[in-house]
Amino acid sequence: MNITEMFSDSYISYPFSNSKRILGLGLLFCSGIFLIVPAVFAGGYLMRIIENTIEGNYELPPFENWKGMFIDGLKVATVVIFFMLPGLISEFALFVLVKMGYATLNPGLMIGLFMLTSLFYISAYILSITAIPRMAYKNQLRAAFDFKMVFKDIKCIGLKKYALSLTGLSIMAAYLILFAGFLHMIFYSVGAMISLNVYITDFAANLLIYPLIIASQGRFMGLIYLERFQSP
């Protein structure tokens, strides 16, 4: 499958393959009082989408085995935090040094630390896009931390195709997040005009946009990983 077909499948066809399940995913974002709970379930559902994609299924997966989905969500969170940890530490060090006044005393150090932090986050993003699907494929948490095999998977996919896919994935993710913010602004404005509670406007915006982000991103990650099996 070429990149254009992957994008068409992930962002146009797949999210609407089952209207009830995409609605259920939207409700998942709006159901929890504490944000961490629906976020973990969303991570678990993301992994389930990746698994289904790798197995060759076209439709959004059903909402079942909630305990397993929550555990999968914790696994995804573990992988993301692990890969982001160097960047978080570097960013914290940068914040502390700025507070201590080093931004004016040693601007070169600040620029270098900022570049290092950016490099850590970019590396985390590049690796996690393959590490999470690898974990889903192997059904093992440790598979995400097998760096030798993660790099081998990326090589099998093809460096050029992987780079183009990640660039497109990043652009689409940024676009959807910006669109979500724009949608929130519109709903807030309309809500204010008709004296609608702010939580209702939040509910409506989340119901419309965030399930599309999870569904399309999970599908695309699965399709990228499938390319590693197309290598000769």
Side-chain angles (χ1 to χ4, degrees):
M1 185 180 290
N2 61 45
I3 295 176
T4 302
E5 290 172 336
M6 289 165 66
F7 272 102
S8 176
D9 182 291
S10 302
Y11 291 93
I12 298 175
S13 304
Y14 184 76
F16 306 101
S17 60
N18 190 306
S19 57
K20 291 182 179 179
R21 291 172 186 171
I22 196 71
L23 179 62
L25 186 56
L27 291 171
L28 185 63
F29 269 93
C30 309
S31 61
I33 298 174
F34 302 104
L35 292 177
I36 188 65
V37 175
V40 172
F41 276 115
Y45 194 72
L46 173 77
M47 187 164 163
R48 192 164 290 180
I49 289 171
I50 295 170
E51 287 175 349
N52 273 30
T53 298
I54 294 173
E55 291 169 0
N57 298 318
Y58 178 77
E59 197 175 58
L60 282 163
F63 288 93
E64 57 187 17
N65 187 11
W66 287 86
K67 180 182 177 180
M69 188 160 66
F70 187 79
I71 292 172
D72 285 341
L74 291 176
K75 290 179 181 178
V76 171
T78 300
V79 173
V80 171
I81 292 170
F82 176 83
F83 282 113
M84 289 184 64
L85 195 58
L88 292 170
I89 293 172
S90 181
E91 185 178 1
F92 178 74
L94 182 63
F95 174 78
V96 171
L97 290 174
V98 168
K99 284 292 185 180
M100 293 173 63
Y102 276 85
T104 54
L105 293 175
N106 197 335
L109 175 63
M110 296 296 99
I111 293 172
L113 193 54
F114 175 79
M115 292 176 66
L116 181 64
T117 302
S118 301
L119 180 62
F120 281 144
Y121 280 134
I122 292 170
S123 299
Y125 178 67
I126 291 171
L127 293 174
S128 64
I129 294 299
T130 296
I132 293 174
R134 177 174 175 74
M135 174 177 65
Y137 175 66
K138 294 291 185 179
N139 195 26
Q140 295 176 335
L141 177 61
R142 66 173 180 269
F145 306 116
D146 188 344
F147 293 104
K148 182 179 179 180
M149 294 306 299
V150 169
F151 283 117
K152 184 179 179 180
D153 286 343
I154 293 173
K155 185 178 179 181
C156 288
I157 293 167
L159 295 179
K160 181 180 179 181
K161 190 165 193 176
Y162 193 70
L164 288 173
S165 298
L166 259 63
T167 301
L169 186 65
S170 303
I171 292 172
M172 289 303 299
Y175 170 77
L176 288 172
I177 291 171
L178 288 172
F179 182 70
F182 177 69
L183 204 62
H184 273 278
M185 289 176 60
I186 292 177
F187 280 25
Y188 282 148
S189 299
V190 172
M193 290 172 61
I194 60 176
S195 301
L196 197 63
N197 189 288
V198 67
Y199 293 108
I200 297 178
T201 60
D202 265 340
F203 181 91
N206 291 341
L207 198 62
L208 286 173
I209 195 68
Y210 287 109
L212 298 180
I213 295 176
I214 294 293
S216 57
Q217 299 284 286
R219 178 68 171 180
F220 198 80
M221 288 170 70
L223 290 176
I224 292 174
Y225 193 75
L226 272 177
E227 291 298 308
R228 75 88 69 229
F229 301 108
Q230 306 302 318
S231 62

